[in-house]
Each structure stands twice: as structure tokens, then as C-alpha cells.
Amino acid sequence: TTFSDQELESTFKALDVAGSGLLTRAEVLEVFRSAQREPGDKQIIEGQAERLTSELMCHLGRDLDKSISLAEFKHGIADLASQRDRRVWPIAGMMLITGLSV
């Protein structure tokens, strides 16, 4: 799966709720929380969202500044998609919801 620059930029902007030009941990966490639509134990769901957020922030935020730039997002998502990494699918879902192709 590959994403165009336009798709990645549009998704980044949709995820950047604060409009800061950087994705924060809180913004990424909200993506994983909203992806957990199935009923279940709230502690388990929250734990999964926290773990996936930490993993994704570590992978995408390579400069360890606790935020993700557009360049880091593009590079990291393309890398995860090429590996068919499961962490990319909530973001791919967001792309679908916002009207972008996956």
C-alpha cells in the first residue's frame, strides 16, 4: 500500500486538531481511542490505545521531541505501510473517513 503526498498531507492536517503543524501525543492517542469502537473493558481499550500511541510516537517521532512533524509523518507512515504494520490501519481508517483513498 502506498499513499500519495497529498493523501498524507490531508490526513496529517485532519489529525493535527490544534493546527500547530505538529502531531502531539494527545492527538495520536485520540486516533487510537476513536478506532476502538467495540464495547469492552475500558481499561483494556485505554491500555491498548496508550501502548499503540507510544509505539507509533517512538517510530514516527524520530527526533524524540514528543511530537511528529509532517516530514516524520510522511516518512514513517510510508515505512509502516510498506511493512504492512498494523499500527498504520487506524490512520488509514482516518484517511478513509476524511474522504481520502487508502
Side-chain angles (χ1 to χ4, degrees), residues 17 26 36 40 50 52 54 59 65 74 83 100:
V17 177
Q36 299 287 337
E50 288 281 350
L52 290 170
S54 294
H59 184 81
D65 65 357
K74 285 180 174 181
Q83 298 171 28
L100 301 170

Side-chain angles (χ1 to χ4, degrees), residues 4-75:
S4 72
D5 277 348
Q6 182 181 8
E7 289 171 326
L8 292 171
E9 287 172 19
S10 294
T11 300
F12 183 89
K13 287 179 184 176
L15 298 175
D16 181 16
V17 177
S20 66
L22 295 170
L23 295 181
T24 64
R25 187 178 198 292
E27 289 168 327
V28 173
L29 179 58
E30 190 54 37
V31 170
F32 287 112
R33 283 180 177 150
S34 64
Q36 299 287 337
R37 303 254 179 206
E38 297 176 22
D41 185 317
K42 290 186 183 212
Q43 280 187 308
I44 292 172
I45 291 170
E46 183 65 18
Q48 289 172 336
E50 288 281 350
R51 182 180 51 79
L52 290 170
T53 297
S54 294
E55 289 176 12
L56 196 65
M57 291 297 294
C58 182
H59 184 81
L60 297 184
R62 296 179 185 272
D63 59 7
L64 303 176
D65 65 357
K66 299 185 182 181
S67 62
I68 300 168
S69 69
L70 177 58
E72 290 170 326
F73 181 79
K74 285 180 174 181
H75 179 268

Side-chain angles (χ1 to χ4, degrees), residues 77-90:
I77 293 299
D79 183 49
L80 290 173
S82 72
Q83 298 171 28
R84 296 192 180 259
D85 191 302
R86 63 181 169 73
R87 293 173 292 183
V88 79
W89 298 116

